[in-house]
Amino acid sequence: MQRTTSIRELINWVEDIKEKNHSSAASLYIIKDNKVLLDHYSGYHSYSKDAPQVSPKSQFNIASARKSYLGLALSYALYDGLISSLDDPVTKYFKHCDVELFKGTTIRHLATNSHGLDRKPDGTIYREFKAGKRWAYHNVGDGMIAELVNSLYNKGFPELLNERVFKPMGFTETGWRTKPHENLVKVIREVNEPPLSALGKLSDGTEKNLFVSTREFAKWGQLHLNRGVFNNIQIVPSEVIDYATTIHSPSYSNNSFPENGLFWYVQGKPRKRSEIGERVPQGSYQILGVTGPTILVIPQLNLVVSKMYNKRNNYGEGNYLHYLKEFGNKVVDVFS
């Protein structure tokens, strides 16, 4: 098939979104057939006059894209037998929770955004809808899963991943950061406001302070694409990867709802409310953060694309799904 979009057009698209949304930084990294095809960087760590230029060493706060790391930790807990099933009730593990509030809610619901729970401004959890009946993106689920995995392993899940994944892969540019460093990209909330450090107080995975370089973000995707193999070594059991990237969502009566693996968005039949473009092949999976970081893995094309920005609400409040789908579709146009 003749390519309708070139890699240069894809770079231009990324740069255009950067300018339209006033992100100070952007990057794009592509791995095709296990070879680095593109390593693109532009801009600065913030709009401050002394801000460093974006480089391969730059580490971006990946916001909710960190949930793909939590998803792998959850998959490990299932593989290790610490959780017997995704369909275990939440009340089995959270002994002091409100039994009536969490009635009928399972680990599956927490990991697929089908739990129906949300928080009030004061932090109180309340039920929005019956578990498994609808889909809604609320952070109650990942917070509970992080707490659960940490308690099961008696340590923060980042420590688990560091032992089993990051160290064997030689990662040095991935971590839950608590101290300033020259390689950490600041987060832009508004252009005329001071940038945010996005650092956390803890490194146990319970805060949104995971920073990753664009190249290690792509290698994280490559590890999944290759079912746990990295540099010809089986780093992660293939079953752990497969389980994390398989659709686990309950069957919804509304077919516009997206489908999830363990926090990943997974392409089954294209869904109206999914962030994955309709031309992206079945079996592909993707995850996004509010500051713009995205990994798209397309097994059918043996392809991983990682993309970074550093501006909150990068695609606009109302059109982010349109632009996300457009990006995935453009990637497919380049490589199909």
Side-chain angles (χ1 to χ4, degrees):
M1 180 184 294
Q2 184 176 1
R3 293 180 179 178
T4 58
T5 304
S6 69
I7 291 179
R8 171 48 57 185
E9 287 177 289
L10 192 60
I11 294 172
N12 290 343
W13 186 93
V14 168
E15 291 297 320
D16 184 52
I17 293 293
K18 169 177 169 278
E19 297 302 320
K20 284 181 177 177
N21 289 284
H22 308 293
S23 180
S24 74
S27 61
L28 181 64
Y29 198 102
I30 299 175
I31 299 175
K32 171 72 170 143
D33 298 326
N34 291 309
K35 296 180 180 179
V36 178
L37 198 63
L38 179 71
D39 193 5
H40 168 81
Y41 303 90
S42 73
Y44 296 84
H45 284 200
S46 74
Y47 285 111
S48 302
K49 291 182 179 180
D50 59 347
Q53 192 168 358
V54 177
S55 75
K57 295 180 180 180
S58 299
Q59 297 173 34
F60 291 74
N61 181 285
I62 65 168
S64 286
R66 75 189 187 283
K67 295 175 186 178
S68 65
Y69 297 76
L70 176 58
L72 193 71
L74 174 59
S75 191
Y76 259 122
L78 287 154
Y79 180 81
D80 291 339
L82 300 179
I83 297 173
S84 56
S85 169
L86 278 184
D87 293 314
D88 282 353
V90 168
T91 52
K92 176 179 177 180
Y93 300 96
F94 293 86
K95 301 297 184 182
H96 302 293
C97 69
D98 184 329
V99 175
E100 283 303 311
L101 178 63
F102 289 94
K103 184 178 180 179
T105 307
T106 66
I107 303 299
R108 180 187 305 276
H109 297 139
L110 296 182
T112 60
N113 292 311
S114 59
H115 48 76
L117 301 166
D118 199 3
R119 290 185 188 274
K120 297 179 181 179
D122 65 3
T124 303
I125 298 175
Y126 70 95
R127 179 158 295 286
E128 182 180 19
F129 57 84
K130 186 177 180 180
K133 296 301 181 181
R134 291 169 51 193
W135 182 96
Y137 189 86
H138 298 315
N139 287 323
V140 174
D142 63 280
M144 293 183 68
I145 292 295
E147 182 182 343
L148 172 59
V149 175
N150 289 0
S151 66
L152 291 173
Y153 284 99
N154 198 30
K155 57 187 171 185
F157 77 86
E159 187 177 345
L160 171 74
L161 295 180
N162 192 50
E163 294 169 357
R164 299 194 185 186
V165 185
F166 301 159
K167 282 186 176 179
M169 292 183 71
F171 279 9
T172 60
E173 299 166 345
T174 298
W176 281 257
R177 306 306 187 195
T178 59
K179 297 179 180 180
H181 191 279
E182 62 182 359
N183 290 338
L184 303 185
V185 179
K186 299 291 181 67
V187 172
I188 308 298
R189 184 167 53 190
E190 298 294 342
V191 173
N192 59 355
E193 296 179 0
L196 305 174
S197 73
L199 297 172
K201 295 180 180 179
L202 303 171
S203 57
D204 64 354
T206 57
E207 296 183 275
K208 303 174 184 179
N209 57 329
L210 176 57
F211 285 77
V212 187
S213 68
T214 311
R215 56 191 174 192
E216 287 195 357
F217 202 38
K219 289 176 182 178
W220 174 250
Q222 184 185 23
L223 176 74
H224 286 71
L225 174 68
N226 291 335
R227 301 180 65 229
V229 174
F230 185 74
N231 285 342
N232 298 315
I233 299 172
Q234 190 79 48
I235 301 293
V236 179
S238 58
E239 298 93 332
V240 174
I241 297 291
D242 292 346
Y243 208 70
T245 57
T246 296
I247 293 174
H248 295 297
S249 296
S251 180
Y252 303 118
S253 59
N254 185 335
N255 61 12
S256 72
F257 292 146
E259 294 180 300
N260 293 98
L262 301 184
F263 297 107
W264 288 93
Y265 289 78
V266 182
Q267 184 84 307
K269 182 179 179 181
R271 302 285 183 125
K272 183 177 180 180
R273 292 180 60 181
S274 173
E275 64 180 40
I276 304 178
E278 63 276 0
R279 295 200 297 277
V280 177
Q282 186 173 353
S284 302
Y285 42 96
Q286 178 172 287
I287 201 154
L288 164 77
V290 71
T291 49
T294 311
I295 296 181
L296 173 60
V297 180
I298 306 179
Q300 193 174 118
L301 299 177
N302 203 20
L303 178 69
V304 177
V305 180
S306 73
K307 171 174 56 63
M308 298 287 204
Y309 295 118
N310 69 325
K311 173 71 167 58
R312 287 185 62 83
N313 301 318
N314 227 282
Y315 299 90
E317 291 290 347
N319 293 320
Y320 82 99
L321 278 182
H322 165 77
Y323 288 112
L324 272 172
K325 289 175 183 285
E326 184 179 55
F327 175 73
N329 288 335
K330 284 184 176 292
V331 168
V332 171
D333 291 343
V334 170
F335 293 101
S336 294

